[in-house]
Amino acid sequence: MRDWANRITGGDLRALARAATAVENRTPASRALLDQLRPFTGRALIVGVTGPPGAGKSTLVDALAHALRREGRSVGIITVDPTSPFSGGAILGDRIRMQSHHADPGVFIRSMATRGSLGGLARAAADMVALLDASGRDVVLIETVGVGQDEVDVARLAAVTVVVLIPGTGDDVQALKAGIMEIADVFAVNKADLPGVERVEQEIRGSLSLAARSDGWMPPVIRTVATEGTGIPELLEAVRSVPRKEPPAPARTASLRIDHLGVAVPSLDVALAFWQGQLGVPASPPETVPAEQVRVAMLPAGGPRIELLEPSAPDSVIAKYLEQRGPGIHHVALCVPDLAAVVTRLRAAGARIVNEPRTGAGGHQYVFVHPASTGGVLLELIQDQEEQSK
Ligand SMILES: Nc1nc2c(ncn2[C@@H]2O[C@H](COP(=O)(O)OP(=O)(O)OP(=O)(O)O)[C@@H](O)[C@H]2O)c(=O)[nH]1
Ligand SMILES: [Mg+2]
């Protein structure tokens, strides 16, 4: 599993293709894989392209992909097959058009079928986006037909949403207003080679003045002729100039405080001769913790404490630490108000929790987080007992 994830983040296309199929089929292995890939997501620019059937979305996505390739960017394309009667033709059309990328490893394309049930589509599409993002694609383009709530949900995955409209469909603007007009960051008036461009632009501007965005962004309206590549550089520039929505603030762990610093020492007696004897810190009497195979002395240091750790068995964790790394700071221990919640959140984010919550000498619950996840130091998290009893 770890190897599979490594190959994907390393750009292995066969591993990526296999993963995409697993994600489509929502296999248990794909869930585990996505958990491992989660820390590698968040780098790609995710662009949604949505609009009514036949507006030219696939042709636009194709043209955008070519423009990005010319800049040397790698691209992922996800088309969500509509359930509408147009779907047969659309899928066939997409295949033909997208074949222009078929020999280019820099473009990875997947169609996702709704398979009759709309529920879960947004979720499956979200997983596919995460996979492509983690695989190192610079840009991920998602095509959806903007007709229903499900499509709107898919569009919400995108950092930037392009709504594609075409001339001669003024009524569509009215009909679409309720759904996708307010999620548009950029409008493309495609098929601008056909008559009626001004009229649809006016309709768009009219509907925009009603729905001012909270960040003051006024979605630009770009004319395109996707079949000829006209307006594509302008569309790309407009996409890039959209202010990024603030990512949801990570849940904050309020009122963290240092409980103690753990220091590995070869001999408690020698260490205490300094701390207690010379520095004059009143240490607690040394105590053996059989579960951890250590002898411990606690030194008060303002609020937090210093914990001196001496191995009590030759093959104990601290003995091995001393052997490999030498004496010194072994871990940092923090008190958290809700240990279970923090552990759940860290696990979801892909952090390595070393042990299931255990009960320590004083009756407190604790876990260790691996140095590989924390930036280099072993971290002990302790349930804050005052918080717990509140
Ligand atoms: N005249 C003209 N035709 C276009 C333009 N862009 C796309 N088309 C044509 O419009 C038709 C539909 O294009 P698609 O790209 O399949 O449209 P779509 O929005 O992806 O369609 P669905 O996926 O079925 O909703 C095709 O025949 C395209 O060649 C354009 O700018 N001008
Ligand atoms: Mg299409």
Side-chain angles (χ1 to χ4, degrees), residues 268 271-286 297-302 304-308:
L268 262 189
L272 284 174
F274 167 79
W275 292 92
Q276 206 169 24
Q278 297 178 21
L279 199 58
V281 183
S284 69
M298 280 291 187
L299 311 169
R305 296 165 298 168
I306 292 168
E307 180 185 49
L308 301 176

Side-chain angles (χ1 to χ4, degrees), residues 41-337:
T41 61
R43 279 180 278 209
L45 171 62
I46 318 287
V47 182
V49 177
T50 191
K57 299 178 295 296
S58 297
T59 317
L60 266 181
V61 163
D62 181 65
L64 287 170
H66 276 294
L68 288 162
R69 292 301 293 140
R70 278 194 292 275
E71 294 179 1
R73 317 242 177 227
S74 60
V75 180
I77 298 176
I78 301 170
T79 44
V80 179
D81 291 342
T83 43
S84 73
F86 301 90
S87 62
I91 294 168
L92 188 61
D94 286 349
R95 290 236 175 91
I96 292 164
R97 259 184 302 284
M98 301 299 182
Q99 266 174 13
S100 62
H101 297 288
H102 123 117
D104 179 3
V107 180
F108 184 90
I109 305 171
R110 272 294 161 131
S111 285
M112 302 194 67
T114 57
R115 302 228 171 98
S117 79
L118 281 171
L121 177 62
R123 182 77 200 277
D127 287 346
M128 193 67 83
V129 168
L131 173 65
L132 291 177
D133 186 354
S135 80
R137 298 281 139 175
D138 296 315
V139 181
V140 177
L141 302 165
I142 319 170
E143 176 189 343
T144 54
V145 176
V147 288
Q149 184 56 44
D150 243 59
E151 283 76 10
V152 172
D153 287 345
V154 172
R156 279 189 210 287
L157 296 169
V160 177
T161 299
V162 178
V163 169
V164 185
L165 295 171
I166 51 175
T169 53
D171 294 346
D172 279 7
V173 176
Q174 293 302 318
L176 286 167
K177 228 190 240 175
I180 58 177
M181 291 303 275
E182 60 259 34
I183 60 167
D185 299 302
V186 176
F187 285 95
V189 174
N190 191 41
K191 308 199 184 184
D193 51 327
L194 301 182
V197 177
E198 278 90 12
R199 171 130 184 261
V200 72
E201 283 176 347
Q202 273 165 23
E203 302 249 5
I204 293 167
R205 295 219 164 84
S207 79
L208 281 182
S209 55
L210 302 173
R213 273 176 40 153
S214 54
D215 59 1
W217 172 252
M218 187 53 103
V221 182
I222 312 290
R223 292 183 189 188
T224 58
V225 182
T227 40
E228 288 161 18
T230 310
I232 301 301
E234 292 79 1
L235 181 58
L236 207 48
E237 204 198 307
V239 164
R240 289 191 168 126
S241 62
V242 174
R244 294 304 185 84
K245 288 158 210 155
E246 285 298 310
R252 294 268 289 278
T253 303
S255 59
L256 280 182
R257 63 182 177 77
I258 293 184
D259 182 84
H260 64 265
L261 301 177
V263 180
V265 299
S267 160
L268 262 189
D269 293 341
V270 172
L272 284 174
F274 167 79
W275 292 92
Q276 206 169 24
Q278 297 178 21
L279 199 58
V281 183
S284 69
E287 188 190 335
T288 301
V289 185
E292 306 283 358
Q293 298 181 301
V294 284
R295 239 177 109 228
V296 175
M298 280 291 187
L299 311 169
R305 296 165 298 168
I306 292 168
E307 180 185 49
L308 301 176
L309 303 153
E310 177 198 73
S312 65
D315 55 349
S316 64
V317 172
I318 295 297
K320 283 185 196 137
Y321 184 86
L322 285 169
E323 214 171 275
Q324 286 164 15
R325 310 273 296 262
I329 294 241
H330 171 263
H331 67 268
V332 172
L334 293 177
C335 270
V336 297

